[in-house]
Amino acid sequence: MAALNGKRIAVVGYGNQGRSQALNLRDSGCDVIIGNIDDEYKERAVKDGFETLPIAEAAGLADIVMILLPDEVAPDVFDKEIGPGLSEGNLISFASGYNVFYGFIVAPPNVDVGLVGPRMGGGDVRKRYLSGEGFPSLISVEQDASGRAEETIVALAMGIGSTMGAFMSSCREETLVDLFGEQLQGMSLYTTQLAFDLLVDAGCSPESVLLELYMSEEVSDDWKNMARRGLWKQLTGHSRTSQYGQLTRGESQLSAENKRFFEQVLDDIRTGRFARELATERMTGYPVFRRLMERALSHRINGSEDMLRGLLKQRNC
Ligand code: NDP
């Protein structure tokens, strides 16, 4: 972490990632200031003992600016408040490759640009730093004006607690895997809801269906076992009936049409079609997002979950 000696780091955005990364860097011995708008996140930073300044001021005072703002607001804030204060030898880093890959943020040629993207939410970034477990990150150097960008990026990754491994990547790769992973998760949410409807309409009680599908947390244990033992190797922990059902029925739902659909999802990410759609959505006040979220939250599964959660709580007492 010698590359950070004598360097002042401005963490811009004190949200999910910003707070955890700032606290970890400070505990690692770094000189950290916070740039945030005047809101409750700023009050939290002050309460946590940080010098907290308006974004432009913090960025202007720092050698390293970690941009930990929501991806959709970062370009605007960068153009108005961060970019103008950058000077030769500064480094800016991101926790996601999105804005760099799509060209929504273009840094001046005399600064270093990199990625330090934890594969964890902010809460775990802090928890696993404190426990000493660490966590993995994808890192990259996108622009090396100083000739020393890589050592600074690696040092930042260590400073935030990414001691489980900082894997050299790129903003392009991080964006492809991150967005595809999120959208795959969305597909499994809709698939789970479809399964709920099918089983309830077939006469099964909502409680039994929800316990089976996710509310007993057996399924989340399966996902943990995939990480620890392997996607297929964890199957040996299931009964033969379960293994046979998973291997046969799982594969047969992967039709050629489904595969083409997956390719289309990836293509939308790769070509920027998804990002442009999201930008239009944002400019028009998120009409599609609001409609879909409203529809999701009014589905009968929500009431069934509340009912089961209530029953489980009663039994625990
Ligand atoms: P959050 O939404 O938690 O926090 C972002 C911060 O930005 C908050 O302090 C927020 O304050 C501030 N902010 C929001 N809008 C504006 C604005 N218009 N002007 C100035 N400041 C603003 O973001 P995350 O921590 O989730 O995300 C930060 C980065 O980390 C993103 O690039 C994301 O992709 C990446 N990342 C996130 C992960 C996660 O699990 N959350 C995992 C890995 C990477 P306020 O809301 O009060 O305005």
Side-chain angles (χ1 to χ4, degrees), residues 14-17 36-37 39 41 68-71 77 95-96 118 120-121:
Y14 202 68
N16 189 317
Q17 287 292 330
N36 207 83
I37 45 178
D39 60 6
Y41 287 75
L68 299 177
L69 298 163
D71 292 329
V77 177
S96 109
M120 272 311 119

Side-chain angles (χ1 to χ4, degrees), residues 260-305:
R260 267 196 304 280
F261 172 73
F262 273 70
E263 282 160 12
Q264 182 63 52
V265 168
L266 181 57
D267 208 47
D268 283 357
I269 296 168
R270 199 167 23 210
T271 58
R273 204 174 298 125
F274 172 79
R276 287 192 294 276
E277 180 185 318
L278 183 59
T280 307
E281 216 4 54
R282 179 165 184 258
M283 279 188 305
T284 51
Y286 291 105
V288 176
F289 169 79
R290 285 178 202 281
R291 180 171 51 77
L292 293 178
M293 186 59 100
E294 202 178 303
R295 194 183 68 187
L297 293 177
S298 57
H299 188 275
R300 60 179 171 168
I301 201 167
N302 296 281
S304 299
E305 287 169 343

Side-chain angles (χ1 to χ4, degrees), residues 1-11 21-33 50 64 66 129 152 155-161:
M1 286 186 44
L4 303 181
N5 287 346
K7 300 262 172 76
R8 174 168 288 176
I9 303 170
V11 171
Q21 295 195 25
L23 289 168
N24 292 0
L25 284 166
R26 185 173 66 184
D27 289 349
S28 297
C30 300
D31 176 10
V32 182
I33 57 174
F50 283 109
I64 295 170
M66 301 183 76
Y129 178 91
T152 311
L156 279 177
M158 293 306 118
I160 66 166

Side-chain angles (χ1 to χ4, degrees), residues 31 43 61 67 83 118-119 136 140 142 153 164 168 204 207 213 233 239 264 275 290 294:
D31 176 10
E43 282 166 29
L61 287 173
I67 301 175
R119 301 294 89 197
S140 80
E142 301 291 321
I153 286 293
M164 246 177 119
M168 203 39 95
C204 303
E207 306 87 276
L213 292 180
K233 289 184 193 124
S239 68
Q264 182 63 52
R290 285 178 202 281
E294 202 178 303

Side-chain angles (χ1 to χ4, degrees), residues 45-107:
V46 172
K47 230 189 243 164
D48 288 337
F50 283 109
E51 182 183 355
T52 306
L53 301 162
I55 292 174
E57 222 172 295
L61 287 173
D63 305 289
I64 295 170
V65 183
M66 301 183 76
I67 301 175
L68 299 177
L69 298 163
D71 292 329
E72 66 278 14
V73 310
D76 219 33
V77 177
F78 180 84
D79 289 343
K80 292 187 184 130
E81 300 181 65
I82 300 173
L86 293 174
S87 52
E88 186 160 349
N90 286 169
L91 177 141
I92 57 171
S93 79
F94 298 85
S96 109
Y98 196 90
N99 285 307
V100 174
F101 173 54
Y102 291 122
F104 296 151
I105 290 181
V106 180

